């Protein structure tokens, strides 16, 4: 098992490099799309097109993943996603690229992620000893947040040097590296279920049947769906517009805040990577989430300058690795190996189902509800101004105030759920 863990580290490194390439492409496509349309909604629809097929297909892929080789699924899914990037590059060179092409590619990438991510989660359980799962979650958080910090800078640099074509070629090169590492170096131990399901719905039903027996895990998924909703309502959509509105359009201020968000996640990831597992894993999930909302969202709401916004961004992201690490530790211990594909797929569908709603609703509430309300002169608006300030961006700051209060309340209440508390002893 120790040899497999060393191979996992190589896999993690190669996948992180590929993830950086993909993130640079995503960032560059946002720049290109916004330059073409000057529409924030067109950018939001790019994320929306990625999430919707991912969530829908996640309900049905679990049985397929349990019955097939995880390595083959990962290779195939990554290859299809790479073909999407190659298609964008070809359309760009021929002068035919349009925004609707990117929407289609994002739909395809979202569909491949529905297969790739649960297959990768199961593969991780095969390669990593259970006592190192929390550490691996910290490693993943570290790499993801390192990408968050460096992706905008690298993407902006390469975009200025060679435009979107150069970034797409870098992305494809990083894919080739990760593909070759997985194909030629990584051997994933398999435990393939031989039974053939009569329909995709049978795998879904079996995943939900398991969750009916393990109600604590099911409640974790439901509460995490709510937490994801409130988080994406603000940070996914309105953080950048709010910072720009309240800093007179300063891109330097926005870049600094985003960098500190990545730094907070990196610090949290490093701590999780080296520390021992928590003895009360379920409580650690929700206390970490509560701290993120309390010091992240609320501080972001009342902050008036780059110092407080940066501090809030770091405070919001630092606890996230602790949430993921403790949740993964619980799941890998409670879910039988042969069932992991089905349960992880259903988990993804449940936990992430609220994200597209948050993405669309957040922009709508900011533009048509909170910003106009804060400028209306109403009595409640005057009271809120004493907390979040006034002027452009104050409505979005009020949204952070609301998500901070709601997220903190839900997180702390979840700690006292009887079924969830039973998982503390794992």
């Amino acid at each position: 098992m120790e040899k497999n863990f060393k191979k996992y580290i190589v896999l993690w490194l190669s996948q992180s490099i590929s993830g950086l390439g993909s993130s640079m492409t995503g960032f560059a496509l946002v720049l290109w799309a916004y330059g073409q349309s000057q529409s924030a909604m067109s950018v939001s629809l790019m994320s929306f097109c990625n999430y919707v097929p991912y969530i829908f297909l996640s309900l049905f892929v679990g049985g397929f993943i349990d019955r097939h080789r995880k390595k083959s699924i990962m290779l195939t899914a990554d290859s299809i996603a790479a073909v999407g990037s190659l298609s964008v590059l070809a359309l760009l060179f021929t002068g035919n690229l349009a925004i609707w092409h990117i929407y289609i590619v994002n739909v395809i990438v979202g569909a491949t992620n529905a297969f790739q991510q649960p297959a990768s989660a199961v593969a991780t359980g095969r390669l990593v000893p259970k006592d190192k799962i929390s550490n691996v979650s910290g490693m993943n958080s570290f790499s993801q947040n390192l990408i968050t910090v460096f992706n905008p800078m690298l993407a902006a640099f390469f975009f200025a040097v060679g435009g979107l074509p150069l970034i797409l070629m870098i992305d494809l090169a990083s894919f080739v590296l990760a593909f070759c590492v997985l194909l030629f170096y990584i051997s994933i131990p398999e435990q393939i279920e031989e039974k053939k399901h009569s329909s995709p719905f049978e795998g879904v039903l079996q995943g939900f049947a398991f969750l009916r027996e393990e109600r604590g895990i099911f409640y974790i998924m439901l509460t995490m769906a709510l937490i994801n909703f409130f988080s994406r309502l603000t940070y996914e959509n309105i953080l950048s517009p709010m910072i720009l509105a309240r800093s007179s359009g300063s891109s330097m201020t926005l870049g600094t805040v985003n960098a500190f968000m990545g730094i907070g996640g990196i610090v949290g990831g490093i701590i999780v990577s080296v520390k021992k597992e928590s003895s009360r894993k379920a409580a650690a999930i929700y206390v970490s989430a509560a701290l993120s909302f309390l010091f992240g969202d609320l501080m972001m709401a009342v902050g008036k300058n780059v110092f407080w916004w940066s501090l809030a961004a770091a405070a919001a992201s630092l606890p996230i690795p602790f949430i993921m690490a403790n949740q993964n530790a619980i799941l890998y211990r409670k879910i039988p190996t042969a069932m992991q594909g089905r349960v992880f797929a259903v988990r993804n569908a449940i936990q992430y189902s609220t994200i597209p709603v948050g993405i669309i609703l957040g922009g709508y509430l900011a533009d048509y509800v909170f910003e106009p309300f804060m400028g209306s002169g109403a009595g409640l608006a005057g009271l809120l101004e004493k907390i979040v300030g006034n002027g452009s961006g104050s409505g979005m700051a009020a949204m952070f105030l609301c998500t901070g209060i709601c997220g903190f309340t839900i997180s702390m209440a979840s700690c006292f759920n009887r079924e969830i508390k039973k998982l503390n002893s794992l």
Side-chain angles (χ1 to χ4, degrees):
M1 199 67 177
E2 190 64 31
K3 182 180 179 181
N4 284 340
F5 183 56
K6 291 179 180 178
K7 287 192 172 185
Y8 175 80
I9 293 176
V10 176
L11 176 65
W12 169 73
L13 285 171
S14 65
Q15 293 289 324
S16 296
I17 293 171
S18 180
L20 177 60
S22 298
S23 295
M24 287 171 57
T25 293
F27 187 87
L29 287 175
V30 167
L31 295 178
W32 184 89
Y34 190 76
Q36 296 293 309
S37 67
Q38 299 297 312
S39 167
M41 182 57 71
S42 68
V43 175
S44 293
L45 285 172
M46 290 170 63
S47 296
F48 185 79
C49 289
N50 186 281
Y51 275 115
V52 169
Y54 171 78
I55 292 166
F56 177 75
L57 287 176
S58 290
L59 282 171
F60 305 104
V61 303
F64 178 88
I65 290 166
D66 284 331
R67 298 195 306 274
H68 294 82
R69 296 187 178 278
K70 315 306 172 283
K71 180 174 176 177
S72 299
I73 294 172
M74 294 167 67
L75 289 170
T76 302
D78 288 343
S79 298
I80 294 172
V83 170
S85 295
L86 190 61
S87 300
V88 172
L89 183 61
L91 289 166
L92 191 63
F93 276 136
T94 59
N96 294 316
L97 183 63
I99 292 177
W100 66 268
H101 292 133
I102 298 175
Y103 295 158
I104 293 175
V105 169
N106 278 9
V107 168
I108 295 171
V109 171
T112 61
N113 284 340
F115 289 86
Q116 202 272 352
Q117 290 190 9
S120 178
V122 176
T124 299
R126 303 282 198 274
L127 294 171
V128 177
K130 284 186 169 54
D131 61 344
K132 293 185 181 293
I133 289 294
S134 292
N135 304 99
V136 165
S137 295
M139 290 166 54
N140 290 334
S141 295
F142 171 80
S143 63
Q144 290 164 8
N145 285 282
L146 198 64
I147 290 171
T148 299
V149 172
F150 288 105
N151 166 46
M153 293 183 289
L154 291 174
F157 171 76
F158 287 119
F159 194 79
V161 171
L164 184 56
L166 176 59
I167 291 178
L168 286 166
M169 287 187 282
I170 293 172
D171 183 14
L172 289 168
S174 68
F175 154 76
V176 171
L177 170 66
F179 184 92
C180 290
V181 168
L182 180 57
L183 179 62
F184 297 113
Y185 183 72
I186 305 298
S187 177
I188 300 174
E190 296 287 352
Q191 186 174 336
I192 300 172
E193 186 174 300
E194 296 297 332
K195 179 185 174 184
K196 304 296 182 184
H197 302 303
S198 58
S199 75
F201 294 99
E202 186 170 349
V204 178
L205 294 175
Q206 289 178 348
F208 276 107
F210 174 82
L211 293 176
R212 278 198 300 271
E213 297 297 323
E214 297 290 345
R215 296 177 66 183
I217 293 179
F218 184 54
Y219 290 151
I220 284 179
M221 294 177 184
L222 291 177
T223 53
M224 289 304 298
L226 278 174
I227 288 171
N228 281 335
F229 171 74
F230 286 115
S231 174
R232 299 307 173 107
L233 198 66
T234 47
Y235 277 96
E236 182 78 14
N237 269 309
I238 67 169
L239 175 64
S240 296
M242 186 192 79
I243 297 299
L244 291 172
R246 309 199 89 180
S247 64
S248 302
S250 171
S251 58
M252 181 65 72
T253 298
L254 178 59
T256 301
V257 174
N258 283 332
F260 270 88
M261 187 175 297
I263 291 169
I266 290 170
V267 172
I270 292 173
I271 295 172
V272 171
S273 298
V274 299
K275 71 180 286 292
K276 292 183 179 180
E277 284 190 355
S278 171
S279 58
R280 294 175 58 82
K281 297 177 180 61
I285 292 172
Y286 295 105
V287 170
S288 299
L291 291 174
S292 178
F293 282 111
L294 180 64
F295 292 106
D297 292 52
L298 294 184
M299 196 186 303
M300 191 69 72
V302 302
K304 302 296 191 303
N305 55 53
V306 64
F307 172 80
W308 289 107
W309 294 327
S310 299
L311 192 62
S317 59
L318 191 149
I320 305 301
F322 294 85
I323 298 172
M324 301 309 300
N326 286 285
Q327 184 185 14
N328 285 336
I330 290 172
L331 294 179
Y332 280 110
R333 279 172 168 77
K334 293 290 288 183
I335 304 171
T337 302
M339 283 285 296
Q340 285 181 357
R342 278 159 283 181
V343 179
F344 276 119
V346 171
R347 185 277 301 266
N348 291 347
I350 294 173
Q351 284 192 196
Y352 304 138
S353 63
T354 56
I355 290 177
V357 181
I359 290 174
I360 296 298
L361 188 59
Y364 176 83
L365 290 174
D367 287 343
Y368 299 106
V369 179
F370 279 86
E371 284 292 314
F373 173 74
M374 290 299 290
S376 67
L380 180 58
L383 179 62
L384 288 173
E385 284 180 0
K386 296 179 181 179
I387 302 173
V388 303
N390 55 23
S392 179
S394 60
M396 290 179 277
M399 286 179 64
F400 272 98
L401 183 67
C402 294
T403 57
I405 294 170
C406 293
F408 176 80
T409 303
I410 289 169
S411 299
M412 292 307 299
S414 300
C415 287
F416 299 98
N417 179 278
R418 184 172 58 185
E419 296 295 332
I420 291 177
K421 286 173 65 176
K422 293 178 182 177
L423 299 174
N424 274 321
S425 59
L426 287 179

